[in-house]
Amino acid sequence: MWKIRILEELGNVRRALRKLRIAFFHLVLFSILTSFIGGLILSTKALSPVSNIIGLANEIEASVLSRRLPHPGVDDEIGRLVDTLNHMLARIEASFEAMKRFTSDASHELRSPLATIRNTVDVTLSRPRSGEEKDAALQSIGEEVDRIRTLVDDLLLLARADAGRMVMQMKPVSLAFLLEAQVDAHQARAQARDMRLELGALLPDEILGDERWLLQVVGNLLDNAIKYTPVGGTITVDMARTAEVLRFSVSDTGPGIPEDELERVFERFFRSDPSRSRGHVPGLGLGLAIASWVVQEHLGTIQASNRPEGGATFTVSLPLAQPHT
Ligand code: ADP
């Protein structure tokens, strides 16, 4: 009697267990399916801004570099990615614009001496000329050819510098020696314009640098000081030192530089309004761009400022070969 009852109850339990197993199996299947579909929906939704970004990024070409990717409005990973890409686009746009301006300025600068040469040749050939007139024409052509040669040399130098093909030969250099050499080399020109060119106290410290290029920096600054300062002015070259850097400055008593141009003077082809300086001062607007590149290669800084009493000062700071502790 008891035996039969137990068997009967066990049969119920087995049936219940089988139902439970089937229910469990369906539940697992359902969970797998819903998480798969849910995951698919979620990932598609989460990645849709990325697909939008890819689509828009593909539409941005060199001609429309001013376009930016729309920000999703939240500061999550996608928002930060859009910010990063937009900053990158802004940098590409800026260098693309600079390159375009550089090319158009360079061709303009080349075109004007070529036009002058063409004009001189045409005028000279338009009727028979005396020997003197022909000499004058050749002289003028020679000056324009020099202008073109200087421009082409400077352009090649900057192009090589941009391509990273200019290698500095760094070794310990006495800055005082370079300043003395360039001040001596410029004395005759300064005297011809009735100017005083003075060199202050010299410091014996050395910097790690390329002598040839540093001479060019000092030379460019002195050339400018002589060019832009009116006859009878004074140019002063001074040295100073901190624990880490050696500094030199070239100051003049010329017209100075407008405040909003103090940084722009280092841009390629930048030239101040000619009406500010005495008449037409020859130049191509590349000297300070080259000086700035050389100083950067030496891990130094170059700065333009105005003296309170009038005139410009250019200050170059270069790391000492052996910093003072
Ligand atoms: P460039 O002298 O051939 O024009 P630079 O690159 O040497 O080119 O100088 C850029 C501009 O900076 C000059 O055209 C001039 O307007 C300004 N500048 C440079 N040096 C001086 C200075 N000592 N005093 C006043 N302006 C200066």
Side-chain angles (χ1 to χ4, degrees):
M1 173 80 175
W2 279 109
K3 206 173 174 184
I4 292 164
R5 193 139 185 89
I6 286 168
L7 279 177
E8 194 186 283
E9 276 177 9
L10 266 180
N12 282 345
V13 169
R14 272 204 201 101
R15 260 197 306 281
L17 270 177
R18 199 179 320 121
K19 276 187 190 155
L20 204 66
R21 219 179 288 133
I22 292 168
F24 185 70
F25 176 74
H26 281 123
L27 195 71
V28 169
L29 204 69
F30 179 73
S31 311
I32 291 174
L33 262 171
T34 47
S35 48
F36 177 74
I37 294 169
L40 204 68
I41 292 170
L42 274 178
S43 66
T44 315
K45 207 169 162 215
L47 288 177
S48 81
V50 178
S51 310
N52 287 346
I53 292 171
I54 294 172
L56 284 163
N58 277 332
E59 282 172 24
I60 297 176
E61 291 168 15
S63 51
V64 283
L65 279 176
S66 55
R67 280 188 69 177
R68 295 289 176 270
L69 302 170
H71 198 280
V74 272
D75 192 23
D76 56 3
E77 274 74 12
I78 304 286
R80 285 201 292 280
L81 176 71
V82 168
D83 277 343
T84 310
L85 288 175
N86 280 341
H87 283 138
M88 191 183 76
L89 279 171
R91 285 199 301 276
I92 295 175
E93 187 189 10
S95 45
F96 197 74
E97 285 304 316
M99 215 166 68
K100 259 177 27 192
R101 213 178 49 236
F102 183 64
T103 317
S104 97
D105 285 350
S107 29
H108 172 79
E109 290 296 329
L110 278 170
R111 211 178 291 136
S112 66
L114 284 173
T116 311
I117 292 175
R118 182 72 254 174
N119 194 34
T120 310
V121 171
D122 288 347
V123 170
T124 311
L125 293 178
S126 62
R127 62 179 173 80
R129 300 276 171 186
S130 67
E132 253 172 42
E133 282 173 321
K134 282 181 187 158
D135 283 353
L138 284 176
Q139 169 101 20
S140 152
I141 290 173
E143 280 164 16
E144 294 305 323
V145 169
D146 282 347
R147 205 170 127 82
I148 295 174
R149 198 180 50 197
T150 311
L151 175 61
V152 170
D153 284 351
D154 286 352
L155 286 177
L156 275 178
L157 191 154
L158 285 168
R160 284 202 201 112
D162 286 346
R165 281 178 26 226
M166 301 292 295
V167 184
M168 301 268 161
Q169 308 290 330
M170 302 291 196
K171 59 180 177 73
V173 178
S174 156
L175 191 56
F177 171 78
L178 300 186
L179 294 177
E180 234 174 349
Q182 282 294 35
V183 166
D184 284 350
H186 284 77
Q187 279 299 357
R189 277 188 55 209
Q191 273 161 22
R193 303 203 60 236
D194 209 9
M195 285 176 172
R196 286 216 314 267
L197 173 50
E198 295 170 349
L199 181 57
L202 294 174
L203 299 170
D205 305 71
E206 291 187 325
I207 49 157
L208 265 190
D210 187 314
E211 205 171 290
R212 198 167 61 99
W213 287 111
L214 289 174
L215 276 171
Q216 176 152 358
V217 173
V218 183
N220 281 357
L221 296 181
L222 287 174
D223 280 343
N224 280 351
I226 295 174
K227 264 194 322 189
Y228 294 104
T229 305
V231 171
T234 302
I235 296 161
T236 324
V237 180
D238 280 310
M239 280 185 93
R241 191 191 64 201
T242 68
E244 268 136 29
V245 298
L246 197 54
R247 212 168 263 154
F248 76 91
S249 59
V250 178
S251 304
D252 61 51
T253 53
I257 298 164
E259 289 297 313
D260 59 329
E261 293 180 359
L262 287 172
E263 286 186 15
R264 298 195 58 207
V265 291
F266 299 103
E267 288 173 14
R268 294 170 188 191
F269 290 110
F270 179 82
R271 301 208 76 203
S272 235
D273 181 359
S275 60
R276 288 190 57 260
S277 45
R278 38 172 204 102
H280 173 74
V281 181
L284 301 164
L286 290 175
L288 288 178
I290 292 173
S292 164
W293 166 72
V294 174
V295 172
Q296 273 171 32
E297 288 290 299
H298 284 78
L299 308 177
T301 57
I302 183 166
Q303 246 183 340
S305 56
N306 286 309
R307 301 163 65 228
E309 57 273 49
T313 296
F314 284 85
T315 310
V316 176
S317 303
L318 298 160
L320 279 164
Q322 281 169 340
H324 294 241
T325 44

